[in-house]
Amino acid sequence: MSTLDQDWDAVTQADVQAAEEGDLIPTGTYEGTVVEYKPQIVESEKAGVLFGKRLAHVTVELYDVGGRTRKSWFDAAPGIVKEDGKPHMVSRIAAQLAKHTGTVGSPFNETLEKAKTMRLKFRIRLSPANDEKGYAAKNWLDAITSVG
């Protein structure tokens, strides 16, 4: 038996976490463009007020993230409110997208199509892993604004 056939070292949880965090986008504001969106129905009851709602899963290309173009994703949908009566984050993002594309009052699919034709600014936040709560590191979209 050669040394290549012997047992390999184990992949540790730290290895997995480092690999996942290495793919994440650093906190910052990046210019970018919506490249596609896919409507989907939220099927998990764990999603609270989003359960059964239609969301757009949106893919964006962000420019100059560490010197290269990177993709990021977020969900958006108009008109979803939390139990406390405040707009859900997916609806706040949808409202910002409509405002900065000039499509307030239009069907949301028109907002998404318009966003494919223009550059916007996307505020991305890197949330670190929290082992106590069982959360992996993740990127969040905090805001969308106009360029210039």
Side-chain angles (χ1 to χ4, degrees):
M1 173 160 73
S2 78
T3 56
L4 291 177
D5 294 328
Q6 294 175 1
D7 288 341
W8 293 62
D9 291 338
V11 175
T12 67
Q13 184 59 37
D15 294 331
V16 172
Q17 185 173 337
E20 289 173 348
E21 289 177 5
D23 287 337
L24 295 173
I25 295 169
T27 296
T29 300
Y30 304 97
E31 288 188 23
T33 304
V34 169
V35 292
E36 69 176 347
Y37 63 92
K38 295 179 184 172
Q40 60 188 28
I41 301 294
V42 177
E43 296 179 356
S44 172
E45 292 182 21
K46 293 179 183 179
V49 297
L50 296 178
F51 177 65
K53 303 285 193 224
R54 181 173 55 170
L55 302 177
H57 185 68
V58 182
T59 304
V60 295
E61 275 191 351
L62 303 174
Y63 309 120
D64 200 23
V65 179
R68 62 188 182 123
T69 299
R70 300 275 308 268
K71 286 191 178 178
S72 188
W73 298 266
F74 64 89
D75 293 327
I80 299 176
V81 294
K82 299 184 292 185
E83 292 172 358
D84 63 5
K86 295 180 181 176
H88 193 282
M89 187 63 178
V90 297
S91 291
R92 290 184 9 221
I93 292 298
Q96 292 170 8
L97 199 55
K99 176 182 177 182
H100 295 292
T101 58
T103 58
V104 172
S106 299
F108 191 56
N109 58 307
E110 292 179 19
T111 297
L112 292 163
E113 287 297 326
K114 177 74 179 222
K116 290 170 143 184
T117 69
M118 58 191 302
R119 286 175 81 118
L120 297 162
K121 288 185 180 179
F122 298 88
R123 172 79 180 144
I124 305 292
R125 176 174 39 96
L126 174 58
S127 176
N130 184 329
D131 293 333
E132 291 176 11
K133 294 184 178 181
Y135 297 136
K138 181 177 179 175
N139 281 129
W140 296 93
L141 175 65
D142 285 334
I144 299 172
T145 57
S146 298
V147 172

